[in-house]
Amino acid sequence: MLQFIYSQLIRLALPFILLRLWWQGRQAPELRINWQQRLGFVPRTSGTVVWVHAVSVGETIAAAPMVRRLLARNPDITILMTAMTDTGLTQAMKMFGDQVQYAYAPYDTPGSIRRFLNRANPRILVIMETEIWPNMIRQSRSRRVPVFLINARLSERSARGYERVKSLVAPIMRSISWVAAQAEKDAERFRRIGVAASKVSVTGSVKFDVDIPEAVRKISFQLRASLSDRPVWIAGSTHEGEEAQILAAHRQILEAHPSALLIIVPRHPERFESVADTIIQQGFSLARRSRGDGLVGAEVYLGDTMGELMMLYGASDAAFVGGSLIKRGGHNPLEPAGWGIPVISGPNVFNFETIYQRLVDDRGVVIVSGADELFQHLSTLFDDVDERRASGQRALSVVNKNRGALDRVVDGIIERV
């Protein structure tokens, strides 16, 4: 009954969801491209199809090493990657080109999911992290399509929320074939909300298996070489409410290091223009990557392109990971850690609690509360080359020490394909 009520509510909401999509498309026309796919009208797919669903950019990047490994292990399979956002699909296309197929994920109405499954005909569904869509999961299992929740994480707050509607959630959880949890506490929370203990494994986080393609390294090294010996720091995946604090810290840095360069990469592309305006209004000289601006004389470099954050991390001497000075829950600190550069974060990192705990335990990250502490730590790193290198190596060692989850996950998927 609860599943039926949920489905009816989603159906009733669908016209308003599509209207919102059309409205957002005024500023971002790419949102209106292939909108029919969101109703399940995707191109028909043949062969052994592994459906990999990643909600947006972060999950897509996390899925990349797994997808590469799957293709290497079994070149005959067809990978169909889906995302809820245009930025997620853009990221996937940038990474894989014509190696995989792409589509928007269908909205979770019974009809949309049915049409999608009829056309895609997947052999297996791999969901990254914690995208729990009742109709997607239940209909897949009703067709005997195994559903894997990979790199799964579940915060205590989310677990309590699911427990409040356990009568709805438990049947969905029982439809999941395998949960590959990041940590034991994630596994315990999934068991609490209805996943059978025998279906839950603790594999670790695949994000520790950081994969930096050689082409990305090459572009990064070229950019770094063009900056000569300038001190460079980056603020990646920033959100509204963070740029002001970041720019305040950079203003103080410039007083001690006049040639310093800050690279800012906002999390969402629709904020590129507003962030550029903020930078100019605060009196900083700005260069924009999308325009190919030269960096001579620039105090701030705006990374307003898609899919280049990993490359820009590699061109920097230290990295601040955004989404953490506000109550957003943070973003992936292992991307800069994989380059062996110092990692700095705000205190709000509940979306990556296991990863951050391991970094904290081995002094691979420094947590700051605001602009002043951010400035103070950056100043120390720029003044002390040995400490900067040691800090970066500590972060990298955490990455290397925790590798291996990817092999366990890929083995589990290959066994069932």
Side-chain angles (χ1 to χ4, degrees):
M1 178 60 70
L2 287 174
Q3 178 82 18
F4 173 78
I5 293 171
Y6 165 82
S7 296
Q8 295 307 316
L9 290 174
I10 290 291
R11 283 174 169 144
L12 290 172
L14 186 58
F16 300 99
I17 294 171
L18 292 173
L19 181 61
R20 180 173 178 268
L21 182 70
W22 175 83
W23 184 261
Q24 291 175 327
R26 296 179 310 136
Q27 300 297 325
E30 60 275 7
L31 290 174
R32 297 179 180 177
I33 299 174
N34 293 326
W35 65 270
Q36 299 95 331
Q37 293 179 0
R38 300 177 187 270
L39 300 179
F41 294 102
V42 296
R44 293 190 179 274
T45 309
S46 59
T48 301
V49 178
V50 176
W51 175 13
V52 178
H53 175 59
V55 60
S56 191
V57 174
E59 294 79 11
T60 301
I61 292 172
M66 179 189 72
V67 170
R68 292 190 184 98
R69 196 75 58 88
L70 285 171
L71 290 172
R73 292 270 297 271
N74 190 344
D76 294 330
I77 64 174
T78 297
I79 301 288
L80 172 60
M81 295 196 71
T82 64
M84 301 299 292
T85 67
D86 61 299
T87 53
L89 282 188
T90 299
Q91 178 69 51
M93 292 174 185
K94 192 175 184 70
M95 292 188 297
F96 294 109
D98 59 2
Q99 292 180 284
V100 307
Q101 297 185 25
Y102 312 92
Y104 282 110
Y107 291 134
D108 200 42
T109 65
S112 298
I113 298 296
R114 183 174 59 253
R115 285 187 288 270
F116 183 95
L117 291 172
N118 286 341
R119 287 164 170 76
N121 193 26
R123 179 73 61 85
I124 187 172
L125 167 56
V126 178
I127 301 174
M128 296 302 297
E129 302 198 2
T130 319
E131 278 290 285
I132 299 173
W133 294 104
N135 286 314
M136 178 189 289
I137 293 172
R138 294 292 296 277
Q139 284 200 38
S140 294
R141 286 299 293 136
S142 70
R143 296 182 183 223
R144 298 184 179 180
V145 175
V147 179
F148 293 171
L149 204 58
I150 299 300
N151 210 43
R153 58 182 173 87
L154 190 64
S155 69
E156 181 60 28
R157 182 170 65 176
S158 295
R160 289 174 182 168
Y162 284 127
E163 284 181 310
R164 294 190 189 100
V165 289
K166 194 169 181 178
S167 56
L168 171 63
V169 172
I172 301 163
M173 294 296 102
R174 288 195 291 269
S175 297
I176 295 176
S177 308
W178 183 39
V179 174
Q182 294 187 20
E184 178 55 42
K185 53 189 171 184
D186 296 303
E188 187 274 330
R189 291 165 186 157
F190 278 106
R191 296 184 197 107
R192 274 167 45 193
I193 64 173
V195 182
S198 61
K199 295 181 178 180
V200 182
S201 305
V202 179
T203 59
S205 174
V206 300
K207 291 186 176 182
F208 282 107
D209 292 270
V210 178
D211 179 25
I212 307 176
E214 193 56 39
V216 173
R217 290 184 182 275
K218 182 178 180 180
I219 297 171
S220 184
F221 292 154
Q222 290 173 346
L223 177 59
R224 175 70 256 192
S226 72
L227 296 170
S228 188
D229 58 353
R230 296 181 66 177
V232 180
W233 69 288
I234 182 171
S237 297
T238 62
H239 289 255
E240 185 175 1
E242 292 187 304
E243 285 92 6
Q245 298 180 70
I246 290 163
L247 291 171
H250 190 53
R251 193 177 301 282
Q252 295 180 74
I253 286 290
L254 288 172
E255 293 177 5
H257 299 274
S259 65
L261 177 68
L262 164 63
I263 303 174
I264 291 184
V265 186
R267 179 68 175 180
H268 299 117
E270 61 267 25
R271 298 189 60 245
F272 288 162
E273 292 302 324
S274 64
V275 173
D277 291 342
T278 297
I279 294 167
I280 294 170
Q281 289 166 7
Q282 294 203 16
F284 294 96
S285 54
L286 172 66
R288 299 182 63 162
R289 182 156 182 84
S290 63
R291 298 176 181 174
D293 295 341
L295 294 176
V296 176
E299 296 170 324
V300 179
Y301 190 29
L302 181 61
D304 54 350
T305 54
M306 287 299 301
E308 292 196 310
L309 177 57
M310 179 65 87
M311 182 277 294
L312 293 170
Y313 275 135
S316 307
D317 297 311
F320 170 81
V321 181
S324 58
L325 287 176
I326 58 171
K327 292 184 178 180
R328 172 62 178 77
H331 292 292
N332 184 9
L334 298 178
E335 293 173 4
W339 283 102
I341 63 174
V343 181
I344 310 168
S345 173
N348 298 298
V349 294
F350 53 82
N351 284 336
F352 292 83
E353 59 180 344
T354 300
I355 290 172
Y356 268 98
Q357 189 58 58
R358 292 182 184 176
L359 285 166
V360 168
D361 289 345
D362 287 0
R363 297 170 54 231
V365 65
V366 170
I367 305 297
V368 299
S369 62
D372 289 341
E373 287 187 11
L374 179 56
F375 156 69
Q376 290 166 9
H377 185 59
L378 285 168
S379 185
T380 298
L381 293 175
F382 288 152
D383 289 337
D384 189 339
V385 175
D386 290 338
E387 172 56 26
R388 187 167 75 236
R389 290 174 178 165
S391 178
Q393 284 303 306
R394 289 195 296 270
L396 180 58
S397 70
V398 173
V399 173
N400 291 334
K401 185 166 66 173
N402 289 280
R403 289 182 185 273
L406 182 60
D407 288 329
R408 292 187 285 273
V409 164
V410 171
D411 288 344
I413 294 171
I414 289 293
E415 286 176 5
R416 295 163 173 83
V417 170

